[in-house]
Amino acid sequence: PVHDKMKGEAAVALKSLKAYQEGTLTIADADLEREFRLRKDQLRKLEWMRFRAIRFQADMPLTEQFAAEVRKRLDGGETFDALIQEYGAKNPNQVIESEIENNPTLARFRGFWQSVSGCQKGDIIGPLFMPDYQIVVEKEGKQESQNNPAAYMVLQVLDYRPETEMTLEEAKNQLLPVILVAKMMEKIRTDNAVEIYEDK
């Protein structure tokens, strides 16, 4: 029964999307605005940051000390640019530029976000531990996943956005499927003369 229910829901979702693309099922701005008002508290853009970092792979010996040495040099007056160039010249894999969202379902990144949350552009943070994660890189016009192993790193914040509420425009892609399915269910019931008695 659960499998049948899932297949049924997928069929209705597909049918509603097709009808929307063909123009036989439409959504008024008022429908979007009503759904947006109802779900506004759940529609949020996650906290996000873009950074560059000098990283030391966690499974190598003395990594914490190497990362601490980078921090000590920065505290002594050396610039992040100079250190990025120095470490990048020795080993290009030691220097990365990346971005990350604070997804609350990924518990292993909580320690990282406790260290960086609320930061500002230009801040230098670390050494801190970054669990392994995947990034999407573009190679020869194609997007590929690249694995970044766990590391201790010192990073510089290039850009930061705290968690914010979505605007109606930003939320549209999340709202459309919900409204389309509801409208399609209503249409199927009407077409098949199905009546629902709420009190039974």
Side-chain angles (χ1 to χ4, degrees):
V2 173
H3 188 251
D4 289 345
K5 185 174 186 288
M6 286 171 69
K7 281 196 330 189
E9 286 170 356
V12 172
L14 193 63
K15 187 178 174 91
S16 63
L17 182 62
K18 192 175 176 192
Y20 180 68
Q21 288 168 340
E22 291 169 352
T24 56
L25 194 63
T26 58
I27 294 180
D29 288 345
D31 295 328
L32 275 168
E33 286 165 12
R34 184 171 56 252
E35 192 68 28
F36 179 69
R37 279 195 308 274
L38 289 170
R39 298 184 53 207
K40 197 172 182 179
D41 291 344
Q42 302 155 25
L43 298 164
R44 305 190 70 77
K45 283 197 293 189
L46 298 176
E47 182 179 22
W48 166 91
M49 72 178 289
R50 189 164 57 85
F51 63 92
R52 60 181 181 162
I54 300 166
R55 57 193 306 281
F56 300 91
Q57 210 165 301
D59 59 3
M60 303 294 280
L62 304 174
T63 54
E64 289 179 79
Q65 282 134 298
F66 292 142
E69 179 62 28
V70 168
R71 185 63 201 226
K72 190 175 174 184
R73 290 175 66 184
L74 288 164
D75 292 343
E78 293 187 61
T79 67
F80 204 84
D81 284 339
L83 291 178
I84 283 274
Q85 285 182 355
E86 179 187 322
Y87 282 90
K90 289 182 204 166
N91 179 359
N93 292 330
Q94 244 183 319
V95 173
I96 62 162
E97 188 171 313
S98 189
E99 57 184 74
I100 185 169
E101 273 188 335
N102 185 0
N103 186 334
T105 62
L106 300 176
R108 63 201 185 102
F109 291 101
R110 280 195 193 127
F112 173 83
W113 281 104
Q114 282 172 355
S115 299
V116 302
S117 195
C119 62
Q120 294 184 350
K121 187 176 177 178
D123 284 356
I124 293 173
I125 303 167
L128 54 84
F129 179 73
M130 169 66 94
D132 62 293
Y133 69 105
Q134 285 194 328
I135 59 170
V136 176
V137 293
E138 199 163 304
K139 284 187 180 174
E140 298 169 16
K142 293 180 181 175
Q143 289 195 331
E144 292 179 13
S145 280
Q146 178 181 301
N147 192 48
N148 272 342
Y152 287 93
M153 61 188 193
V154 178
L155 66 83
Q156 182 181 45
V157 180
L158 298 174
D159 202 0
Y160 173 79
R161 179 192 71 218
E163 184 179 294
T164 54
E165 285 184 0
M166 285 185 178
T167 63
L168 175 58
E169 194 59 38
E170 290 166 337
K172 256 184 188 177
N173 287 341
Q174 288 185 45
L175 297 173
L176 275 173
V178 177
I179 301 168
L180 284 171
V181 167
K183 282 193 167 288
M184 181 52 73
M185 287 303 296
E186 195 180 311
K187 184 180 183 317
I188 290 170
R189 289 183 188 124
T190 304
D191 292 350
N192 293 281
V194 173
E195 288 186 55
I196 295 174
Y197 299 93
E198 300 290 351
D199 60 338
K200 297 181 182 179

